[in-house]
Amino acid sequence: MVRTLGVAVVGFGWMGRVHTQAYARVPHHFPGLSLRPELVAVADEVPGRAEEAAAQYGFAAAHRDWREVAADPRVEAVSIAAPNFLHREIGLAMAEAGKHIWIEKPVGLTAEDARAVSDAVTKAGVQGTVGFNYRGAPAVAAARELIASGEIGTVTHVRIRLFSDYAAHPEGALTWRYERERGGSGVLGDLASHGVDLARFLLGEIEALTADTAIFLPRRARPTGATAGHTRATGGELGPVENEDYVNCLLRFASGARGVLEACRVSVGEQNNYGFEVHGTKGAVFWDFRRMGELGVSRGTSYQDQPVSTVYVGPGDGEYAAFQPGSANSMSYDDLKVIEAHHFLRSIAENTPYGATLADAVHSAAALDAMARSAEQGAWVPLA
């Protein structure tokens, strides 16, 4: 039996739109799911934005204040896609109101914020899913199985990269993303949070790390109006960029493996260059988000001069079969958010967590805090 679940979206910038579109697509890709999301409410503080969303996507109600969503008994589950500094307040309020939450990373500004939301979700007995979408790529699921099977031997080291140019233009507006109080830890929260999650998803827990950070574009112009995404601004008052453009981090895993995680938001010439290279005693596996359905795999007994083969993922890998019938058909970023939406709704339907949870967000946030401390102290920092 299929029942309707009232859902709401708080924050309707680009990510709010992606969540909304994912809800609409879930029944088409996962027809066996026992819940059907119904778009009950949308909230955004920017004048007119929520009304525009309601008109375009069919939300029953539009609000300027997210608190009206928390008070709405028709809403059973909420996507939180508001700016980072609001994650804790909104997350706590929604959990305390008994609503399941799908919240974008990094779940606040600190590990304390993420832990508070996680504890609230546990106390309320609701489900919580976090937007670590890259772990949902079928190729990443295939790589995880390959590593766990021992086909590349014992993992020795990994390199994870997240390079982008979304903040590379010197006219990029000084939005909340660049302020410590509202944006938190800059590229650490934006991109390195994904890197930590991929590292843990593939190789297990991180035992200790040491990091170096930098700000390469120290001043930007303040915007004169509402912003969405990565708006440019000229002529406005210049202000300081308070959080990191770049981080480079060395990792020690509990397994004994070593790692390098590097992330940058101002890499000219790089657009979404996200991926990893995992090396073992018998082989290696490589993944590039821009070629999402491919893995580079080296395995065998040659060791030296051992070739690398391109493997195309297919219906047996992750959630691929819900989207394409055969190997080498392309998937997209938005498909990964549909997978997240499915995990979220399935978690609610079965009262069992699927996909990335608030506990994963706490682990990631703890690593980000450790990176910031390490960069300040110039020392290795252990992770509990």
Side-chain angles (χ1 to χ4, degrees):
M1 180 178 178
V2 176
R3 81 170 182 91
T4 299
L5 182 83
V7 301
V9 176
V10 174
F12 210 78
W14 169 63
M15 189 54 67
R17 290 177 182 271
V18 173
H19 278 232
T20 303
Q21 290 159 184
Y23 284 128
R25 292 178 57 196
V26 162
H28 302 290
H29 293 283
F30 300 95
L33 188 65
S34 62
L35 293 177
R36 291 291 182 272
E38 179 183 4
L39 300 178
V40 170
V42 58
D44 195 293
E45 65 178 10
V46 176
R49 187 179 284 175
E51 289 77 9
E52 177 187 340
Q56 182 176 359
Y57 292 100
F59 288 97
H63 306 290
R64 287 280 300 277
D65 190 339
W66 59 262
R67 293 169 184 82
E68 296 184 64
V69 172
D72 191 337
R74 299 172 300 168
V75 176
E76 299 173 79
V78 181
S79 280
I80 301 173
N84 297 351
F85 67 96
L86 294 173
H87 285 187
R88 177 172 180 160
E89 182 182 9
I90 298 175
L92 291 178
M94 296 302 174
E96 290 166 1
K99 304 182 191 304
H100 308 283
I101 62 173
W102 174 13
I103 186 168
E104 277 304 314
K105 53 82 209 167
V107 189
L109 305 180
T110 64
E112 181 184 352
D113 287 348
R115 192 171 291 108
V117 177
S118 180
D119 289 346
V121 163
T122 300
K123 182 178 180 180
V126 296
Q127 295 296 320
T129 293
V130 180
F132 289 130
N133 49 277
Y134 298 108
R135 66 155 62 190
V140 176
R144 188 181 192 223
E145 290 187 9
L146 185 74
I147 293 165
S149 73
E151 286 196 57
I152 65 169
T154 301
V155 172
T156 53
H157 59 102
V158 59
R159 185 168 74 99
I160 298 172
R161 68 186 186 283
L162 299 109
F163 298 146
S164 190
D165 64 356
Y166 65 80
H169 203 291
E171 293 179 359
L174 187 67
T175 64
W176 60 268
R177 290 184 180 277
Y178 303 102
E179 299 175 1
R180 184 72 66 183
E181 185 176 348
R182 298 195 297 164
S185 56
V187 76
L188 276 69
D190 276 358
L191 294 181
S193 57
H194 283 298
V196 172
D197 186 66
L198 281 173
R200 293 184 60 249
F201 186 68
L202 294 169
L203 303 183
E205 298 304 330
I206 299 167
E207 193 172 72
L209 59 80
T210 185
D212 185 32
T213 63
I215 298 173
F216 296 134
L217 294 176
R219 295 177 68 78
R220 295 179 182 272
R222 300 186 187 279
T224 56
T227 62
H230 305 290
T231 307
R232 294 185 190 175
T234 56
E237 178 188 357
L238 291 178
V241 172
E242 298 173 351
N243 53 29
E244 304 86 353
D245 288 329
Y246 170 85
V247 61
N248 185 15
C249 184
L250 299 179
L251 307 170
R252 290 177 182 162
F253 292 87
S255 66
R258 298 296 193 263
V260 176
L261 191 163
E262 191 176 12
C264 185
R265 65 188 181 187
V266 297
S267 296
V268 175
E270 301 280 14
Q271 297 87 40
N272 300 319
N273 182 358
Y274 309 150
F276 56 75
E277 302 145 21
V278 181
H279 294 267
T281 53
K282 292 165 42 179
V285 59
F286 311 88
W287 181 68
D288 187 328
F289 168 67
R290 298 165 300 178
R291 305 181 71 164
M292 188 165 60
E294 300 179 16
L295 285 177
V297 180
S298 178
R299 52 191 164 190
T301 58
S302 299
Y303 299 99
Q304 189 175 4
D305 298 327
Q306 184 163 288
V308 176
S309 301
T310 298
V311 176
Y312 297 102
V313 297
D317 300 310
E319 304 281 12
Y320 185 94
F323 298 86
Q324 300 295 347
S327 300
N329 284 295
S330 298
M331 289 180 63
S332 72
Y333 177 93
D334 284 15
D335 293 335
L336 301 186
K337 302 307 279 190
V338 174
I339 291 170
E340 270 185 49
H342 172 243
H343 286 161
F344 179 44
L345 297 172
R346 186 181 178 191
S347 297
I348 297 169
E350 300 180 18
N351 196 31
T352 300
Y354 289 94
T357 66
L358 268 298
D360 294 310
V362 171
H363 282 290
S364 177
L368 301 184
D369 284 1
M371 289 180 198
R373 291 199 306 275
S374 174
E376 181 179 347
Q377 298 169 4
W380 282 88
V381 174
L383 294 178

